[in-house]
Amino acid sequence: MLHKTLKPFPQDFLWGASTSAYQVEGASLTNGKGPSVQDVKTPPAGTSGFEVAADQYHHYKEDVALMAEMGFKTYRFSISWARLLPEGTGRVNDEGVQYYSDLIDECLKYDIQPLVTMYHFDLPAALDEKGGWANRATVDAFVEFSELMFKSYGDRVKYWLTINEQNMMTLAAGAILGIDTSAPGATKNIYEQNHHMLLAQAKAMNLCHEMLPEAKIGPAPNIALVYPASCKPEDVTAAANFNALRNWLYLDMAVYGIYNNIVWSWLEEQDALPENILDGDMDLMASAKPDFIAFNYYSTATVKMPDEGAEGTKGDQQRGATLAGFSQAVSNPNFQKTEFGWEIDPIGFRNTLREVYSRYHLPIIITENGLGAYDTLEEDGAVHDPYRIEYLRKHIEQMNLAISDGVEMMGYCPWSAVDLISTHEGIVKRYGFIYVNRDEFDLKDLKRYRKDSFFWYKKVIASNGTDLA
Ligand code: BGP
């Protein structure tokens, strides 16, 4: 649809950027923090662990001052569960509680609204040892952790996000939840863990509304439209299948408290229906209502219907697996790719925003979007990253078109505010507006430098999204 005039970004639009605790903070096993699953796993070969990361724990004042210089209206960060509750439940680490209190105050000093992710891939290792999300007691532990956060920070934090990318944890359960996906009964196990996370989210949303009536809370999955590889009706069915499994399962549950029917029948067919749905669970899910939808967007996916009789392949269901009779990922020839092989699809961003809004009619905030690249720090302290500016510009343009299509947008937080350690490709895969001077294994001086994208984003924010040049 062409627009003669674009609708402006709302006046109170929350421009900002994101990080997550284990990827940015450092101090991973000090200052009273317990280990999380991220701290006890072996990092992929050639990549650094998370002991120091970008050392935001010791640089938060400087980092927040730089965000303020860019004009941030919000900063999305996550709270490390094991920093507050070193064993995941029970004993509280006061020093950890104080750290986030100080970080929140530092943001508010500059009128930057904290946007807090409650759980971002870093389950306390102590809970993991007791079965992790397979154990229903983890749901109670999450509620205890939520209550502690609401009590400690609810007087200052207006915006809360429940669980980061629960759908990616489920789809890539081998890599993120550490589940042996080739074990018999693995799919049932994964979707039982998924049910517990959905329950934890619903309880946290209800508790938030009860304890903090003024606050707003929402889910934060990774949502991206799935395209059919062709206009063959079979491929359209495959795309609908994978859209349901990748996207709608999570939002249908968060917003309506119902299991998506396509996913449900897929699970049923494989004898993998979650058996841990207890009396009262579904009523609880239906009672919990998000105030907005947050989602991360990097790129769309494309699928075809697998050939008849094709066997399913195990593995990462997001990228590459074939689900027999359901969907098969294919690469889309219409896109350029990042240096790290991720497809770039800004128009898919508009399409995804439109689809999510038409389905759920809730305001949307983007909690991640960005480009990972090898950046170079020049002798004079500059970092020239035109590729990142181009990526962000194209996505912001498409977001403006989506607003003009009638999508209600609350904010935009690209990944990431400062350079940090990627999930599995190290610090050399940089996303930040702020360069952090360290290499994979040489920590150097961790000094901060403003990239070209820093100055560009500052202009974007100052003009409320009208100056993208
Ligand atoms: C999202 C995660 C982030 C982040 C980002 C980039 O899935 O929520 O934690 O890291 O992707 O991914 P990567 O670090 O693998 O490049």
Side-chain angles (χ1 to χ4, degrees):
M1 184 176 9
L2 284 175
H3 294 285
K4 286 193 206 82
T5 331
L6 289 181
K7 290 194 185 121
F9 285 88
Q11 272 316 313
D12 53 358
F13 192 71
L14 294 168
W15 295 99
S18 298
T19 61
S20 91
Y22 82 95
Q23 294 172 279
V24 79
E25 282 175 5
S28 68
L29 293 173
T30 59
N31 302 77
K33 181 178 166 300
S36 80
V37 290
Q38 299 295 342
D39 302 313
V40 297
K41 76 174 192 207
T42 313
T47 67
S48 147
F50 298 102
E51 297 86 348
V52 179
D55 202 26
Q56 186 164 83
Y57 191 85
H58 297 108
H59 289 75
Y60 75 91
K61 288 194 178 172
E62 193 184 340
D63 286 352
V64 174
L66 285 164
M67 293 177 210
E69 193 182 319
M70 273 187 276
F72 278 24
K73 312 291 179 208
T74 188
Y75 172 36
R76 178 206 177 207
F77 58 89
S78 79
I79 289 187
S80 154
W81 188 340
R83 195 179 291 291
L84 258 50
L85 295 160
E87 286 86 35
T89 171
R91 185 173 65 87
V92 174
N93 172 32
D94 294 331
E95 206 176 335
V97 176
Q98 190 59 44
Y99 170 68
Y100 294 109
S101 181
D102 293 345
L103 173 61
I104 289 164
D105 286 345
E106 200 62 22
C107 290
L108 292 173
K109 186 167 119 187
Y110 299 102
D111 279 332
I112 296 176
Q113 288 300 322
L115 171 60
V116 172
T117 314
M118 298 162 68
Y119 163 47
H120 192 126
F121 297 167
D122 56 354
L123 189 72
L127 295 180
D128 193 52
E129 279 158 25
K130 291 187 223 150
W133 286 107
N135 184 349
R136 204 173 170 99
T138 300
V139 177
D140 300 329
F142 186 72
V143 174
E144 182 187 333
F145 170 49
S146 306
E147 192 177 346
L148 177 62
M149 286 186 283
F150 296 152
K151 215 169 59 194
S152 309
Y153 313 125
D155 56 336
R156 287 159 290 160
V157 174
K158 278 200 232 156
Y159 300 103
W160 298 88
L161 306 166
T162 54
I163 301 180
N164 180 69
E165 294 196 354
Q166 183 182 330
N167 57 334
M168 290 300 121
M169 285 197 271
T170 303
L171 291 165
I176 311 183
L177 294 175
I179 294 176
D180 174 3
T181 51
S182 59
T187 305
K188 184 195 272 289
N189 175 10
I190 291 166
Y191 283 87
E192 290 194 339
Q193 300 207 22
N194 188 56
H195 181 72
H196 283 155
M197 280 190 261
L198 290 169
L199 211 53
Q201 164 167 278
K203 288 191 176 203
M205 291 200 294
N206 278 348
L207 187 67
C208 179
H209 288 137
E210 207 178 290
M211 288 178 68
L212 310 170
E214 303 293 309
K216 293 188 187 305
I217 188 163
N222 176 316
I223 300 296
L225 274 193
V226 180
Y227 299 149
S230 78
C231 56
K232 267 166 60 184
E234 293 83 346
D235 290 345
V236 175
T237 307
N241 288 343
F242 198 57
N243 263 310
L245 188 67
R246 188 199 189 288
N247 298 315
W248 315 136
L249 166 63
Y250 301 89
L251 292 178
D252 286 357
M253 189 54 91
V255 179
Y256 304 128
I258 52 171
Y259 265 106
N260 179 282
N261 59 293
I262 295 173
V263 178
W264 191 259
S265 34
W266 177 72
L267 290 169
E268 204 170 16
E269 276 302 325
Q270 301 178 87
D271 202 15
L273 282 181
E275 279 172 22
N276 56 343
I277 303 178
L278 303 187
D279 279 356
D281 282 6
M282 296 315 294
D283 288 344
L284 180 94
M285 304 273 206
S287 72
K289 299 284 173 214
D291 301 291
F292 57 81
I293 289 174
F295 71 86
N296 303 345
Y297 174 87
Y298 288 91
S299 187
T300 46
T302 305
V303 299
K304 65 171 195 167
M305 184 59 83
D307 296 333
E308 216 170 302
E311 294 281 313
T313 58
K314 295 280 180 194
D316 177 339
Q317 293 172 3
Q318 186 200 11
R319 299 178 188 103
T322 299
L323 304 172
F326 193 81
S327 66
Q328 177 174 350
V330 296
S331 88
N332 189 322
N334 297 300
F335 306 136
Q336 289 183 331
K337 290 186 177 166
T338 71
E339 281 181 300
F340 287 83
W342 289 25
E343 290 174 345
I344 302 177
D345 182 11
I347 295 175
F349 186 37
R350 177 190 186 182
N351 290 336
T352 303
L353 288 166
R354 287 157 52 127
E355 185 66 23
V356 169
Y357 191 69
S358 310
R359 280 177 166 259
Y360 304 104
H361 299 283
L362 283 171
I364 297 173
I365 182 161
I366 293 304
T367 37
E368 285 181 37
N369 173 232
L371 175 96
Y374 297 101
D375 292 336
T376 308
L377 178 64
E378 307 290 344
E379 297 266 301
D380 61 357
V383 178
H384 303 303
D385 56 348
Y387 37 84
R388 181 167 294 108
I389 293 174
E390 192 195 349
Y391 177 102
L392 294 171
R393 179 191 293 122
K394 286 187 171 161
H395 284 81
I396 294 173
E397 279 167 2
Q398 292 297 323
M399 182 167 54
N400 201 350
L401 286 167
I403 290 175
S404 307
D405 297 330
V407 175
E408 200 184 336
M409 292 294 307
M410 276 170 65
Y412 178 65
C413 293
W415 186 263
S416 52
V418 306
D419 284 346
L420 39 71
I421 301 193
S422 125
T423 55
H424 59 286
E425 290 173 295
I427 184 107
V428 294
K429 188 183 192 185
R430 295 177 186 268
Y431 283 90
F433 294 107
I434 299 164
Y435 185 92
V436 176
N437 190 33
R438 63 160 285 186
D439 282 344
E440 209 54 63
F441 297 104
D442 179 357
L443 294 175
K444 299 190 174 175
D445 57 8
L446 293 160
K447 208 172 146 199
R448 278 46 180 161
Y449 292 88
R450 296 163 181 81
K451 300 184 191 176
D452 287 356
S453 57
F454 177 105
F455 299 105
W456 173 81
Y457 196 41
K458 182 176 174 174
K459 263 192 331 172
V460 172
I461 298 177
S463 66
N464 200 24
T466 55
D467 183 359
L468 302 180

